[in-house]
Amino acid sequence: MVEPSAMLADPKGLIAIGAGIAVGLAGIGAGMGEQTIGAAAVGAMAEDEKFFGKGLLMTVIPESIAIFGLVVALILLFVF
Amino acid sequence: MGISDGFKYAYIVARVRAMKGKLIPKEMYPKFLNMEIPEITRFIGETEYKKNVDELSKKYSGTDLFEHALNENLALTYRKLLDVSQGEANFLITEYLHSWDIWNIKTILRGKFSGASEEEILEDVVSAGQLRYRDITEIVKIDSVEGVIAAFAGTPYYHVLQEYSGDLADIENKLDKMYYSSLLKAVSSTGNKLFLKYLRTEIDLINLKLLFRMKRGGMERDDILKMLIPGGFELKETDLNRLSSLSFDEFVRALEDYSYWKAISDVSEDLSSLFNVETRLDKYAQSYITSISYYYPLSILPVLAYIISKKIEIDNLRIVVRGKETALKEDIIKTHLVM
């Protein structure tokens, strides 16, 4: 016979799952954005090397979304 | 348009936009008018045409060098687009550039028909389509029109060329119709509505040019209808039927009902030369494709806009140099430029 308290999930485990989803989905979203921008940046750079700096900057802009995901994950893990 | 569609075109569009930045700005053309041919050649030799001018300067000089350098550059630029594109973009560009095969076939046939030399024919050849320059140089060596047609056996153009019976205008028109019908079919198969819309507008503009010329020439309605290309966007079959049965003045007035009128309205009072109209229609095509390419930045449209702008640049340079060579007045050269 299982104790009723044991059937309740550990809240820490749920928080960890939430943090994982936050980082994971944010990463996928950032990757999808970077895919298009990266392809365009490489195209522009192939024509003119001067686009390297601008292309690199543009490519990493969606990376902020991944950082938002990371921040949410850290809040979940350390604040709650 | 989903993310995957955008991704497909991101690389080629960014590349083409960078290439577009290297085109000669339109402010340069009035300056060219004040330069002599060697100065223009020197200027061109310092731009994207450097490699072509350097390579060909051992073989040609003066306007011949200019002509060959422009044609070679155009062919290499279009070929580069084919090399750097893939998937649907590559398919659509390949299909669109078949027009240069048609151009080359027409050039060779016209040359052979009028007895032009091999060198004169090769001066106008642009090997931007599927026909390679070395194949064309072999075909140009053939003496007769019939021999040239036989050399195209096995190509998609042969069944149209076989219908040749001495009338060059007729076979040229059939080639154009074949090109546009197969292009419409190919583009429809990809479901790319943007390209289809532009293509049908392009057909309208060609039909308008044909109508202007044939109306001016006083041709009969049935003869005109035979020459027009089906598949237009605004000028549908009923419109073409109606327009071709009007007199020249009535035809010009009837065009007020179509959106193309705004492109030619300012020259509609003076139609002594059709060059004005044709230049404006070319300008309309360029500004139309450029404006819709901004609405759909990750599509085939920016690539098409570049293809058309590059062609116009080459044509403008050729007009300036040929005009200068024949000592035409600046005003006359200017009216022929698409700016």
Side-chain angles (χ1 to χ4, degrees):
Chain A
M1 195 66 185
V2 183
E3 287 290 317
S5 60
M7 288 177 73
L8 290 171
D10 184 356
K12 279 210 169 168
L14 288 174
I15 287 171
I17 290 170
I21 290 172
V23 172
L25 290 183
I28 291 171
M32 284 163 79
E34 282 171 27
Q35 179 191 36
T36 309
I37 302 171
V42 170
M45 248 184 280
E47 282 305 316
D48 193 341
E49 284 175 18
K50 276 185 275 178
F51 284 111
F52 177 75
K54 280 182 193 167
L56 190 66
L57 185 73
M58 293 293 173
T59 310
V60 297
I61 282 176
E63 202 61 34
S64 58
I65 299 168
I67 296 169
F68 294 150
L70 185 70
V71 170
V72 170
L74 293 176
I75 291 171
L76 284 172
L77 288 175
F78 296 111
V79 178
F80 289 100
Chain B
M1 186 170 284
I3 286 173
S4 60
D5 283 345
F7 168 66
K8 273 194 299 193
Y9 284 102
Y11 176 78
I12 180 78
V13 166
R15 209 159 168 165
V16 157
R17 287 227 190 270
M19 286 162 79
K20 204 173 180 187
K22 293 178 193 165
L23 289 178
I24 295 172
K26 60 182 174 193
E27 297 79 41
M28 272 313 293
Y29 294 109
K31 288 181 190 165
F32 285 149
L33 294 176
N34 298 321
M35 293 181 189
E36 294 303 314
I37 295 174
E39 283 179 273
I40 301 173
T41 312
R42 203 179 315 129
F43 178 87
I44 294 300
E46 288 163 8
T47 59
E48 285 299 291
Y49 300 87
K50 185 181 186 318
K51 202 171 154 232
N52 312 103
V53 172
D54 287 351
E55 272 177 14
L56 293 166
S57 59
K58 292 166 206 144
K59 213 170 158 192
Y60 306 100
S61 63
T63 42
D64 283 345
L65 167 64
F66 205 84
E67 197 84 36
H68 281 277
L70 291 183
N71 285 346
E72 191 186 76
N73 183 276
L74 186 66
L76 290 175
T77 307
Y78 286 167
R79 239 169 237 294
K80 179 179 165 185
L81 288 179
L82 290 172
D83 290 341
V84 300
S85 59
Q86 49 181 332
E88 187 184 280
N90 182 276
F91 173 69
L92 292 173
I93 298 168
T94 308
E95 289 296 322
Y96 190 72
L97 292 181
H98 276 314
S99 61
W100 288 102
D101 287 337
I102 304 278
W103 164 277
N104 291 335
I105 294 171
K106 281 184 192 175
T107 306
I108 298 169
L109 289 179
R110 277 181 208 166
K112 292 294 156 194
F113 193 77
S114 58
S117 69
E118 284 176 31
E119 195 50 44
E120 283 170 327
I121 297 172
L122 287 175
E123 205 170 275
D124 286 328
V125 158
V126 180
S127 58
Q130 296 296 301
L131 295 171
R132 297 283 162 167
Y133 192 76
R134 58 173 181 276
D135 298 332
I136 294 169
T137 49
E138 289 304 312
I139 293 171
V140 165
K141 286 178 188 159
I142 302 166
D143 281 331
S144 65
V145 174
E146 288 73 17
V148 168
I149 290 172
F152 284 104
T155 65
Y157 314 105
Y158 187 59
H159 72 274
V160 174
L161 291 170
Q162 264 182 320
E163 293 171 30
Y164 175 74
S165 57
D167 185 356
L168 207 57
D170 177 60
I171 207 75
E172 288 190 4
N173 181 252
K174 280 180 178 157
L175 283 170
D176 283 338
K177 281 184 178 164
M178 177 213 160
Y179 165 68
Y180 278 106
S181 76
S182 65
L183 186 56
L184 280 171
K185 218 180 281 173
V187 176
S188 304
S189 72
T190 62
N192 195 318
K193 288 182 185 156
L194 305 170
F195 192 177
L196 201 59
K197 191 180 171 198
Y198 169 72
L199 195 58
R200 293 178 65 199
T201 307
E202 191 179 289
I203 293 174
D204 274 351
L205 295 172
I206 290 171
N207 281 339
L208 269 180
K209 283 185 198 172
L210 285 171
L211 275 166
F212 265 106
R213 282 183 207 170
M214 291 189 286
K215 281 277 149 203
R216 169 55 63 82
M219 280 176 72
E220 292 296 317
R221 179 178 169 273
D222 290 340
D223 294 331
I224 294 176
L225 282 175
K226 252 192 280 174
M227 301 292 275
L228 297 175
I229 300 163
F233 184 61
E234 272 190 56
L235 302 175
K236 302 213 162 51
E237 211 177 323
T238 47
D239 301 86
L240 294 175
N241 264 319
R242 187 170 66 87
L243 290 173
S244 53
S245 57
L246 301 172
S247 70
F248 186 75
D249 293 332
E250 287 171 334
F251 157 71
V252 175
R253 273 199 300 278
L255 290 180
E256 288 180 26
D257 300 337
Y258 301 96
S259 64
Y260 308 116
W261 176 251
K262 63 176 185 282
I264 53 167
S265 59
D266 61 326
V267 289
S268 61
E269 295 301 316
D270 176 28
L271 290 171
S272 52
S273 162
L274 291 181
F275 260 114
N276 279 336
V277 176
E278 296 193 359
T279 309
R280 274 172 175 72
L281 290 176
D282 286 342
K283 175 77 198 150
Y284 178 85
Q286 190 196 18
S287 51
Y288 176 72
I289 185 77
T290 308
S291 64
I292 58 171
S293 73
Y294 289 126
Y295 291 128
Y296 305 102
L298 289 179
S299 69
I300 188 73
L301 297 180
V303 184
L304 277 181
Y306 176 74
I307 290 177
I308 289 158
S309 300
K310 181 74 189 176
K311 163 88 171 55
I312 287 175
E313 175 182 289
I314 299 274
D315 285 346
N316 280 346
L317 287 171
R318 186 173 291 138
I319 289 166
V320 169
V321 170
R322 286 286 176 210
K324 286 259 158 201
E325 191 191 24
T326 48
L328 278 177
K329 283 185 183 160
E330 278 184 21
D331 293 347
I332 299 174
I333 301 175
K334 226 173 191 174
T335 54
H336 286 65
L337 295 177
V338 181
M339 290 195 285

